Amino acid sequence: MRQITVTEHLLLHQKKSPAATGTFTHLLNDLILAAKLINRSVNKAGLLDILGGTGEMNVQGEAVQKLDDYANRALIHRMERSGALCALASEENADFIPVPQKFTRGDYILIFDPLDGSSNIDVNINVGTIFSILRRKSPSDQDVSYDDILQPGVEQVAAGYFLYGPSTMLVYTTGLGVHGFTLDPTVGEFLLSHPNMRIKERGKYYSINEGNHHYWDESTQKAVGYFKGKDNGLGAPYSLRYVGSLVADFHRTLLYGGIFMYPMDYKQPDKPRGKLRLMCEASPLAFVAEQAGGAASDGRRRILEIEPQALHERVPLFIGSKEDVASAIGYYR
Ligand code: AHM
Ligand code: MG
């Protein structure tokens, strides 16, 4: 059997993509190295003193886990030295980070959620790293500004995620389909295991935090009621699956079909909001979903067309099989 590495795959299958340059390949390989380091720590989490919180809160007002902090530092350290980037932006940092002048700078921008689902770390449940790669808009000799960072998802050059689970996977797209690689720990390489991933037009699973039912508006209650309803016209009620790690819930949705929803809610009545972040969570996964034949919406707009107003902007998310997403967002018209 022929084993295809990520670099080989980029050279062989992504030739037509503007992302298939030497610099981009280098960027992706540095990202892979950072992910392997994070994977190593996640794997040993129970053995080292890296479980639990740091005692600090992040810019989102959420408790920072020690592994969140490690993953964030590993990514920043590795990626600012890659020579391919001019700036990075992380879920854990309030502002974007321009690549310091002492390092070689490139034209790409990396936006990431270093350890998605980190509230699940202490109980040994899948977590992941989500990434989005953009190209700067301004000339290379100028300082990077928020105009370079706040680009809608349609401008992404590449996006994807690493899933640290029973096996460790990389799933990514450069706009030429979605491809999945599994880490072979014996040789330390990600090898092509899921070429050309496609998501079913309709699935059998819905995924949402049902504990928020009382905080939802009527449209959301009806949308969720549709999937679990006996007389929904879908043949049978959908089964519920909810890990609470977006990467894991999305990965299952990609492979089995169905829908993942994190709608707007009224948990804080004066501040109705979605929970997930547009730039480092929703947009990259929306790019993957669409490239696999699925869809992603905030209920009214295609996620990829939303013009971000702020780096940490939150957005409601309906993502997965095309027909399931269409059914859900039909309740928001
Ligand atoms: P995180 O990036 O800080 O881990 O937060 C995002 C996570 C997602 O992985 C997951 O889908 C969601 O929060 C779960 O939220 P809830 O506990 O409200 O259901
Ligand atoms: Mg997250």
Side-chain angles (χ1 to χ4, degrees):
M1 187 179 123
R2 206 149 154 256
Q3 310 279 14
I4 297 181
T5 64
V6 178
T7 304
E8 237 184 321
H9 186 260
L10 277 168
L11 289 171
L12 287 170
H13 298 268
Q14 310 277 292
K15 264 190 208 141
K16 286 170 259 153
S17 161
T21 61
T23 314
F24 180 81
T25 306
H26 187 71
L27 194 175
L28 203 56
N29 277 314
D30 274 350
L31 196 57
I32 286 171
L33 178 54
K36 284 182 196 166
L37 293 167
I38 297 169
N39 184 54
R40 185 182 61 185
S41 294
V42 168
N43 281 174
K44 288 191 192 155
L47 302 170
L48 308 174
D49 180 30
I50 43 177
L51 290 179
T54 60
E56 283 162 24
M57 300 298 247
N58 71 6
V59 284
Q60 333 267 347
E62 296 156 345
V64 178
Q65 304 294 310
K66 286 183 196 164
L67 265 168
D68 268 333
D69 186 49
Y70 171 79
N72 196 36
R73 283 188 290 110
L75 277 158
I76 295 170
H77 179 90
R78 187 82 270 127
M79 298 315 295
E80 62 183 8
R81 286 163 176 76
S82 80
L85 299 177
C86 53
L88 302 87
S90 163
E91 184 187 296
E92 299 295 330
N93 296 70
D95 286 316
F96 74 85
I97 305 162
V99 169
Q101 248 164 8
K102 61 182 176 188
F103 301 128
T104 307
R105 288 176 175 171
D107 287 335
Y108 291 108
I109 294 166
L110 175 70
I111 303 179
F112 56 90
D113 178 353
L115 210 58
D116 175 67
S118 52
S119 65
N120 275 327
I121 294 169
D122 289 4
V123 287
N124 198 10
I125 284 177
N126 303 34
V127 289
T129 298
I130 308 176
F131 61 91
S132 162
I133 298 169
L134 298 163
R135 209 192 304 269
R136 66 182 298 169
K137 292 273 174 210
S138 58
S140 308
D141 55 354
Q142 287 180 15
D143 285 343
V144 180
S145 75
Y146 269 108
D147 288 340
D148 294 306
I149 309 283
L150 300 178
Q151 298 186 45
V154 282
E155 300 291 343
Q156 291 172 103
V157 177
Y161 55 88
F162 293 91
L163 177 67
Y164 312 112
S167 54
T168 296
M169 284 195 72
L170 160 65
V171 174
Y172 84 98
T173 183
T174 59
L176 290 173
V178 177
H179 309 283
F181 295 75
T182 302
L183 180 66
D184 181 335
T186 58
V187 291
E189 279 282 0
F190 281 94
L191 300 171
L192 185 64
S193 52
H194 297 64
N196 293 312
M197 299 170 85
R198 302 295 296 170
I199 186 166
K200 285 186 187 137
E201 296 277 301
R202 262 211 190 272
K204 290 185 185 145
Y205 298 105
Y206 76 105
S207 187
I208 190 165
N209 184 342
E210 285 261 5
N212 289 334
H213 180 90
H214 295 291
Y215 301 119
W216 294 335
D217 62 15
E218 209 188 325
S219 302
T220 302
Q221 292 184 347
K222 282 187 177 157
V224 177
Y226 169 78
F227 290 111
K228 60 194 221 187
K230 229 165 97 235
D231 306 313
N232 57 15
L234 298 169
Y238 278 29
S239 287
L240 170 66
R241 295 281 186 277
Y242 192 72
V243 177
S245 280
L246 175 63
V247 182
D249 281 314
F250 177 78
H251 189 68
R252 181 198 57 252
T253 306
L254 179 64
L255 279 131
Y256 288 170
I259 184 166
F260 172 88
M261 299 174 268
Y262 209 114
M264 183 269 283
D265 65 48
Y266 288 93
K267 226 182 235 173
Q268 290 172 278
D270 52 327
K271 264 200 245 161
R273 53 155 226 189
K275 177 180 184 188
L276 301 175
R277 270 70 38 147
L278 174 62
M279 297 210 70
C280 65
E281 295 177 319
S283 257
L285 297 185
F287 191 17
V288 173
E290 286 201 6
Q291 281 294 313
S297 166
D298 73 345
R300 293 188 173 83
R301 296 168 295 176
R302 185 176 162 221
I303 291 288
L304 292 182
E305 285 174 9
I306 299 175
E307 302 268 352
Q309 304 301 311
L311 176 58
H312 297 290
E313 176 173 337
R314 294 174 192 258
V315 72
L317 180 64
F318 301 83
I319 192 166
S321 293
K322 212 179 228 171
E323 290 181 18
D324 290 325
V325 172
S327 298
I329 66 179
Y331 290 92
Y332 294 86
R333 296 234 165 79

